[in-house]
Amino acid sequence: MDKVTKERISQLHPSVRAEVTRIIEEIDNALTGRAAVRISQGLRTFAEQDEIYAQGRSNPGKKVTNAKGGQSIHNYGLAVDIVLIIDGKTASWDTVKDWDNDKVADWYECVKIFAKYGWDWGGNWKTFKDLPHFEKKGYTWRGLLAKKRDKSNYVIL
């Protein structure tokens, strides 16, 4: 697990940090070729979410989210986005490449492991597919928005 991933895990909701660490370690063990997994996005502030939401709307670029601040599970530290790092240097979002030649696309090895731990994959969404995205099952942004926060500003689950 690389330094960037460790740092992003440390910012997630305390209730999922150990689990995400196990997931990433299991993925690292499963990917025996040139690819390694990295968390490219974890906790996102409401302001950061609003900035991303503005992309393709009031700011230049392509739309990448339908969620405003508070409307993403990222805003509560209960979601991650991943990327595969090839040979320790090149980012890849190729969902079909099998870098370790085990007859299973490396991306889908990640999907299977996250699912085993009870995480939903954005690639399974019906309308707005988000292939890098995984979120802990059982939470909605509306339910999380209504919850109280602890002294560290994480929602109390």
Side-chain angles (χ1 to χ4, degrees):
M1 180 179 332
D2 69 8
K3 180 180 166 186
V4 172
T5 295
K6 286 180 184 177
E7 175 61 27
R8 290 184 176 141
I9 289 172
S10 77
Q11 300 300 312
L12 294 174
H13 193 283
S15 69
V16 298
R17 289 178 192 160
E19 182 174 77
V20 173
T21 298
R22 281 192 307 276
I23 291 169
I24 298 302
E25 288 171 348
E26 194 168 324
I27 290 171
D28 282 344
N29 288 332
L31 301 180
T32 59
R34 298 169 49 206
V37 69
R38 172 179 288 169
I39 293 178
S40 58
Q41 185 79 187
L43 178 66
R44 196 182 293 146
T45 67
F46 284 27
E48 290 168 331
Q49 188 68 40
D50 284 336
E51 204 172 293
I52 294 168
Y53 180 80
Q55 186 177 322
R57 293 176 176 86
S58 58
N59 291 342
K62 179 184 163 199
K63 287 182 186 177
V64 293
T65 185
N66 286 328
K68 295 178 183 177
Q71 297 177 345
S72 170
I73 302 301
H74 280 289
N75 302 147
Y76 307 94
L78 297 166
V80 298
D81 293 343
I82 65 165
V83 61
L84 295 178
I85 303 296
I86 311 306
D87 298 328
K89 58 187 175 200
T90 305
S92 172
W93 289 270
D94 187 331
T95 60
V96 297
K97 184 70 175 162
D98 178 18
W99 297 99
D100 56 7
N101 297 311
D102 64 357
K103 309 286 189 248
V104 180
D106 290 2
W107 199 272
Y108 289 98
E109 291 185 67
C110 298
V111 170
K112 286 181 193 178
I113 292 168
F114 270 99
K116 178 176 132 181
Y117 285 88
W119 288 66
D120 284 324
W121 178 43
N124 288 331
W125 294 349
K126 301 262 187 274
T127 55
F128 190 86
K129 301 246 183 231
D130 189 355
L131 301 180
H133 182 87
F134 297 86
E135 61 185 47
K136 187 68 177 165
K137 282 184 186 177
Y139 298 103
T140 65
W141 68 264
R142 284 182 178 88
L144 292 165
L145 187 62
K147 291 191 174 287
K148 292 183 180 180
R149 294 179 176 265
D150 65 17
K151 63 184 174 192
S152 298
N153 206 30
Y154 290 101
V155 294
I156 300 170
L157 300 177

